[in-house]
Amino acid sequence: MLSTQPYKGARDFYPEDKRLQKYIFTKMRDVVERFGYEEYDAPIIEPLELYLAKSGEEIVNEQTYVFEDRGGRTVTIRPEMTPTVSRMVAARRQELSYPLRLYSIPNLWRYERPQRGRLREHWQLNVDLFGMSGLAAEHEIIQVADAVMHNFGAKRTDYIIKINSRKFVNYMLSEYLQLNDVQTSTLIKIIDRMAKTPPAVFSAEVDAVFSPSARENKLPEQLLHLLKTNIIDDLPLPLRSHPSVERLESLFTLLHQSGMTNVEFDTSLMRGFDYYTDIVFEVFDTDPENNRAMYGGGRYDGLISLFGVEPLPTVGFGMGDVTLQNFLESHNLLPKLKPETDAYIVLIGDVYVRAQAAINDFRNMGLKIAIDSTDRNVPSKIKAASKKGIHYAIFIGENELDSEQFVLRDLIEGTEERHSSSRIVSIIKDRRKK
Ligand code: HAM
């Protein structure tokens, strides 16, 4: 027997699920378009090479859906959109006008162990700003990220934006703590998993990366202490005065000036991808029940040069629908959505052919209507409409067609009125606005 289940880690979208997804995407689009971002899209399949250079080992080796097409090419179902948008910008590097503001809401596939907040297929709002090297770019992108949350009704106390700098991390590990490249990249991966690792295991993992003499000099302890620092002024002086920290400070000042109090320096924030070059950020729910990163991004200035074109300064972020939906549910921010269909037409008697003109009138006047022309009895038809959550039923029988006055039943209130078709249309349209 065939299974009715969708593929593991992927979702079927029945109308009520799709309605919620449409609501979420509309709210996202509202905000990003208000900031001047334009929508783009691209194929779901890309050559594997696109991800080999810069996406990072975990995603490429463990999480991509890779297969050979019938022509022998190794292709991947996109696990993220950043390489794709970079490819598109590189292809028109000269013609496009900068600053370039692009957004999309692609579905992405990652072979992960499905769990709360993590699926194999998710949709991700991608917002990217190309061509600005100054901090105004980070400032804008973080403001967009914040405005999206606001548009869903979230308060700034509901979430926190953690910010760090890859330049700072590199300096801290390779210069300040004198680690070599291999040790640095191993540590970045260990730190990236810090929140998911028990503290004792984490300390042991960190310790193992350092040489015996570094351990004697208590460098691992210094690092563990640094990873807990979230106040710039608490950093030791050589770190405090590094240019990357000055840049972070200026960004915090800009964000505070825009009223954003929910931003925090976090030296342990890494972001998994290899392409980030400077400021990185990630947004977390303040509710510990939903402690996954809801979205994140950062500056990735070099990526388009992989395509043999002049690099472009770029900042962007990706916001997943699964983590967002968990957030909205746990903060009670999901509205009860009504079905798109305004009214259910209940035909009484054998009027199917005669009623066509009236039915078309309703549609032409802008109503979304479904007709029940089955020969079930009227109560069953009404029951079907109510089960679908449709607000109104319109009854059409011989009498109604002769008098051009139709019965409109409000299935929620249980009331009934008799009106002309144009009056019915205006009642229903008024109701839609509520
Ligand atoms: P990312 O951190 O891998 O970044 O993903 C961004 C967000 O997508 C995550 O915070 C999470 O909300 C969601 N997400 C990722 N994987 C899954 C999954 N398996 N299931 C559910 N949700 C998931 C990127 O992908 C970067 N390319 C974002 C970016 C755009 N950076 C610059 N521009």
Side-chain angles (χ1 to χ4, degrees):
M1 215 175 358
L2 289 173
S3 166
T4 56
Q5 292 305 304
Y7 174 72
K8 185 175 175 185
R11 292 160 287 172
D12 287 330
F13 289 85
Y14 286 89
E16 62 274 21
D17 311 311
K18 195 68 192 170
R19 200 168 290 134
L20 182 60
Q21 190 192 56
K22 279 202 283 187
Y23 165 81
I24 290 177
F25 290 0
T26 304
K27 286 270 172 191
M28 289 173 166
R29 287 196 170 91
D30 276 357
V31 172
V32 293
E33 289 179 6
R34 244 187 267 155
F35 280 79
Y37 286 77
E38 295 180 284
E39 190 163 8
Y40 67 94
D41 213 336
I44 192 167
I45 290 177
E46 291 279 10
L48 175 65
E49 299 90 81
L50 193 61
Y51 307 98
L52 289 180
K54 287 277 181 184
S55 287
E57 278 167 38
E58 189 193 11
I59 228 174
V60 174
N61 296 340
E62 293 163 29
Q63 298 185 340
T64 42
Y65 281 79
V66 185
F67 62 95
E68 199 171 285
D69 73 7
R70 287 174 197 274
R73 287 165 285 260
T74 306
V75 296
T76 302
I77 307 181
R78 60 187 176 198
E80 55 152 340
M81 201 60 170
T82 311
T84 298
V85 73
S86 303
R87 173 178 68 67
M88 289 170 67
V89 172
R92 302 218 176 147
R93 175 73 177 83
Q94 300 304 329
E95 299 97 287
L96 293 166
S97 116
Y98 304 96
L100 174 67
R101 293 181 166 85
L102 294 177
Y103 86 89
S104 68
I105 315 180
N107 56 334
L108 308 176
W109 284 84
R110 296 184 190 180
Y111 196 80
E112 301 215 41
R113 190 168 60 79
Q115 53 191 293
R116 184 172 163 84
R118 273 289 183 273
L119 294 178
R120 290 186 173 169
E121 183 188 37
H122 77 284
W123 272 257
Q124 194 189 86
L125 169 68
N126 274 252
V127 184
D128 292 279
L129 172 52
F130 294 84
M132 277 170 62
S133 54
L135 274 177
E138 280 88 346
H139 180 226
E140 173 171 315
I141 280 290
I142 295 177
Q143 275 185 300
V144 173
D146 182 64
V148 174
M149 298 303 281
H150 184 73
N151 208 31
F152 284 105
K155 296 188 295 298
R156 288 211 172 112
T157 46
D158 295 337
Y159 59 98
I160 181 151
I161 306 179
K162 298 189 177 178
I163 303 177
N164 198 8
S165 153
R166 275 285 176 94
K167 285 199 169 126
F168 166 73
V169 170
N170 288 338
Y171 178 74
M172 171 172 80
L173 297 177
S174 55
E175 304 286 329
Y176 186 71
L177 296 172
Q178 300 276 303
L179 296 162
N180 65 29
D181 288 356
V182 177
Q183 289 170 309
T184 298
S185 71
T186 312
L187 264 178
I188 286 180
K189 286 185 194 89
I190 294 172
I191 300 169
D192 195 30
R193 293 193 305 265
M194 185 169 98
K196 294 171 216 149
T197 315
V201 178
F202 180 73
S203 308
E205 283 179 1
V206 167
D207 227 49
V209 178
F210 284 85
S211 66
S213 63
R215 282 201 286 269
E216 250 164 54
N217 290 331
K218 305 255 178 260
L219 293 188
E221 284 81 356
Q222 272 196 47
L223 176 61
L224 292 178
H225 180 72
L226 283 170
L227 292 175
K228 291 198 193 93
T229 309
N230 56 12
I231 296 171
I232 289 180
D233 281 338
D234 290 350
L235 290 173
L237 200 61
L239 290 177
R240 173 84 187 71
S241 53
H242 190 257
S244 63
V245 175
E246 283 167 20
R247 211 171 131 79
L248 275 166
E249 247 183 334
S250 309
L251 177 62
F252 280 111
T253 306
L254 273 174
L255 292 167
H256 288 152
Q257 281 164 350
S258 317
M260 291 183 56
T261 43
N262 55 339
V263 286
E264 186 181 277
F265 176 46
D266 185 339
T267 50
S268 68
L269 179 75
M270 295 294 138
R271 303 268 313 130
F273 299 101
D274 293 345
Y275 47 67
Y276 293 116
T277 51
D278 198 337
I279 303 262
V280 286
F281 70 95
E282 209 147 65
V283 183
F284 292 83
D285 192 341
T286 48
D287 179 349
E289 291 292 294
N290 188 33
N291 65 358
R292 277 207 169 272
M294 279 193 288
Y295 49 103
R299 181 172 279 282
Y300 56 104
D301 287 345
L303 201 52
I304 78 156
S305 61
L306 289 180
F307 302 91
V309 299
E310 275 286 284
L312 256 180
T314 311
V315 185
F317 74 88
M319 175 189 225
D321 65 333
V322 184
T323 37
L324 176 68
Q325 202 170 312
N326 290 343
F327 171 87
L328 296 174
E329 270 158 16
S330 68
H331 291 268
N332 261 326
L333 293 171
L334 283 180
K336 245 187 107 35
L337 298 170
K338 291 181 261 177
E340 291 77 7
T341 309
D342 293 309
Y344 200 69
I345 303 251
V346 177
L347 298 181
I348 300 164
D350 187 13
V351 291
Y352 182 72
V353 175
R354 236 194 115 193
Q356 290 300 313
I359 291 167
N360 279 336
D361 273 357
F362 282 123
R363 289 205 177 107
N364 293 338
M365 285 189 276
L367 287 198
K368 295 173 184 161
I369 50 174
I371 311 172
D372 195 331
S373 56
T374 64
D375 46 20
R376 290 183 295 185
N377 60 27
V378 172
S380 320
K381 290 183 180 181
I382 291 175
K383 212 165 138 200
S386 296
K387 197 167 169 188
K388 289 177 201 290
I390 299 177
H391 198 126
Y392 292 100
I394 301 171
F395 295 92
I396 306 183
E398 296 288 354
N399 285 344
E400 285 75 16
L401 290 168
D402 291 342
S403 64
E404 295 186 351
Q405 296 284 308
F406 302 92
V407 174
L408 175 69
R409 180 179 295 183
D410 185 323
L411 297 173
I412 290 170
E413 306 289 329
T415 53
E416 218 172 79
E417 295 166 60
R418 188 176 275 269
H419 294 293
S420 68
S421 52
S422 57
R423 178 85 189 103
I424 286 181
V425 172
S426 66
I427 291 174
I428 295 182
K429 284 190 176 169
D430 279 352
R431 180 79 216 181
R432 259 192 214 160
K433 291 182 203 133
K434 285 177 192 151

